[in-house]
Amino acid sequence: MKRVAPVMVASENGRYGMLRAMEALRAGATALDAVELASRIIEDDPEEHSVGYSGLPNVLGEVELDASIMDGKTLRAGAVAAVQGYGRAITLARRVMEETPHVLIVGRGAERLAAELGEAPQNQVTGEALRRWEERFAERGLASGQNADLRNVAGLLTRPINLQDKIYKAGRVDTQGTVNFLALDLHGNLASAVTTSGLGWKYPGRVGDSPLIGAGNYCDNRYGAVACTGMGELAIRAGTARSLIVYMKLGMSLQEAGLETLRDLDGLATQEGQYMNIVGLTPEGEYAGFTTVPGKLYLYMTAAHEAPVLAERTALVAK
Ligand code: ASP
């Protein structure tokens, strides 16, 4: 079988996961193992506040995790959404793919599956996450969340937050947000993974694009792998990840397909701070990042690199 040089692509907060996973890919790991490993490293990082442990809470102060994984060789996929009380959502997503006949299991069902499969329960809510949750009450001039009447929270949701906004404004580049990884392994197989605590301050049970195959994640060895970050509702409405793949299937290059996908998103955002970021990787090892706002970055790494490289995404700014 023809051997291919491994390549990884990720959202810009994927650096440490990518470093370890590329090492594994060089040693012969599968793309599927690489994207799971990389995701778990970011999920376990307590400094990463919108993925896994210490993720951003929903409006009730609870951390709910979403994740999905897809195997480009078989088109098998697994996902979980709105999971509380367990970390490593990406591994649970993989177990949905490999140990059940289903693709997506949510909430109580996913927590039940985690328990049945022997995953260790772990409270994902940290003091730091609660502090960030409280900050939102203070910013809005509301009583502290701990003491607030949370029986009717829908009215608080005029603008759920993506942590990236704040950090960009503070001028930092090592931003946080959903993390995603795409990998091409030595055998020419592609895989994709996305994991997140979703938008901070979201309504309980709100599910974003990350665990939705076709919206935030899609992978097919014949055409490529794609994953999204940003305001998940936009990628859900435009079917972003799968659209990009279909555009390539119909003959467009990765660059053309990415721009076409951005055109599909044009006009869907209704508030400042709503944007969509996309990364793509082809079976030939070509990679790219796209965004609806200028200045957003992504990471890539090939076998020739010693460390992940930060690159600017191609932007098609909304009119
Ligand atoms: N896409 C994620 C969501 O909507 C958020 C993010 O990318 O940070 O849940």
Side-chain angles (χ1 to χ4, degrees), residues 50 66 162 164 177-178 196-199 206-210 228-233 276:
S50 49
D66 296 344
N162 184 325
Q164 289 187 342
T178 296
T196 188
S197 55
L199 296 182
R206 175 267 185 187
V207 173
D209 58 325
S210 312
C228 304
T229 50
M231 181 76 185
E233 280 73 2
M276 189 40 55

Side-chain angles (χ1 to χ4, degrees), residues 8 14 26 29 54 89 101 134 148 155 225-226 235 247 266 286 301 317:
M8 283 194 83
R26 285 193 181 111
S54 193
E134 283 289 5
V226 175
Y247 293 138
D266 198 10
E286 190 194 345
M301 186 171 178
V317 180

Side-chain angles (χ1 to χ4, degrees), residues 8-18 35-45 48-52 66-68 90 162 164 175-182 192-198 210-211 216-217 227-230 279 299 313:
M8 283 194 83
V9 190
S11 51
E12 64 179 303
N13 51 340
R15 176 171 298 272
Y16 297 109
M18 186 181 270
V35 293
E36 183 190 0
L37 170 70
S39 301
R40 281 171 67 144
I41 289 167
I42 309 298
E43 286 176 334
D44 288 349
D45 182 354
E48 179 64 51
H49 292 299
S50 49
V51 179
D66 296 344
S68 65
I90 200 66
N162 184 325
Q164 289 187 342
T175 181
Q176 307 191 50
T178 296
V179 75
N180 53 37
F181 292 97
L182 311 176
S192 52
V194 186
T195 183
T196 188
S197 55
S210 312
N217 183 354
C228 304
T229 50
V279 283
L299 287 172
R313 296 171 187 259

Side-chain angles (χ1 to χ4, degrees), residues 87-254:
R88 298 197 164 171
I90 200 66
T91 294
L92 199 51
R94 184 164 179 181
R95 297 192 77 174
V96 169
M97 173 173 93
E98 290 178 343
E99 297 174 53
T100 82
H102 305 306
V103 169
L104 171 61
I105 301 183
V106 307
R108 274 180 302 143
E111 290 150 20
R112 180 192 170 101
L113 180 73
E116 284 185 18
L117 294 178
E119 294 288 335
Q122 186 193 28
N123 182 8
Q124 301 296 297
V125 188
T126 60
E128 171 66 12
L130 285 178
R131 192 184 61 70
R132 286 169 187 271
W133 175 68
E134 283 289 5
E135 256 173 32
R136 294 290 287 175
F137 285 89
E139 275 167 22
R140 285 156 187 248
L142 298 166
S144 132
Q146 300 287 1
N147 305 321
D149 178 358
L150 295 175
R151 273 174 301 181
N152 183 349
V153 290
L156 296 177
L157 299 173
T158 48
R159 189 169 176 243
I161 50 162
N162 184 325
L163 197 62
Q164 289 187 342
D165 290 350
K166 278 196 160 179
I167 291 174
Y168 266 100
K169 281 179 193 147
R172 281 175 52 187
V173 290
D174 56 332
T175 181
Q176 307 191 50
T178 296
V179 75
N180 53 37
F181 292 97
L182 311 176
L184 175 66
D185 67 25
L186 285 173
H187 312 289
N189 291 314
L190 289 165
S192 52
V194 186
T195 183
T196 188
S197 55
L199 296 182
W201 196 262
K202 64 190 173 183
Y203 196 86
R206 175 267 185 187
V207 173
D209 58 325
S210 312
L212 300 185
I213 298 300
N217 183 354
Y218 202 80
C219 184
D220 182 329
N221 267 4
R222 294 168 296 178
Y223 312 110
V226 175
C228 304
T229 50
M231 181 76 185
E233 280 73 2
L234 305 183
I236 295 171
R237 289 161 67 198
T240 298
R242 169 85 178 137
S243 292
L244 202 157
I245 298 286
V246 171
Y247 293 138
M248 291 199 288
K249 175 177 177 176
L250 297 178
M252 287 186 190
S253 66
L254 173 59

Side-chain angles (χ1 to χ4, degrees), residues 68-93:
S68 65
I69 192 162
M70 188 157 183
D71 176 17
K73 186 176 175 187
T74 59
L75 302 192
R76 285 184 315 159
V80 291
V83 180
Q84 290 190 34
Y86 287 88
R88 298 197 164 171
I90 200 66
T91 294
L92 199 51

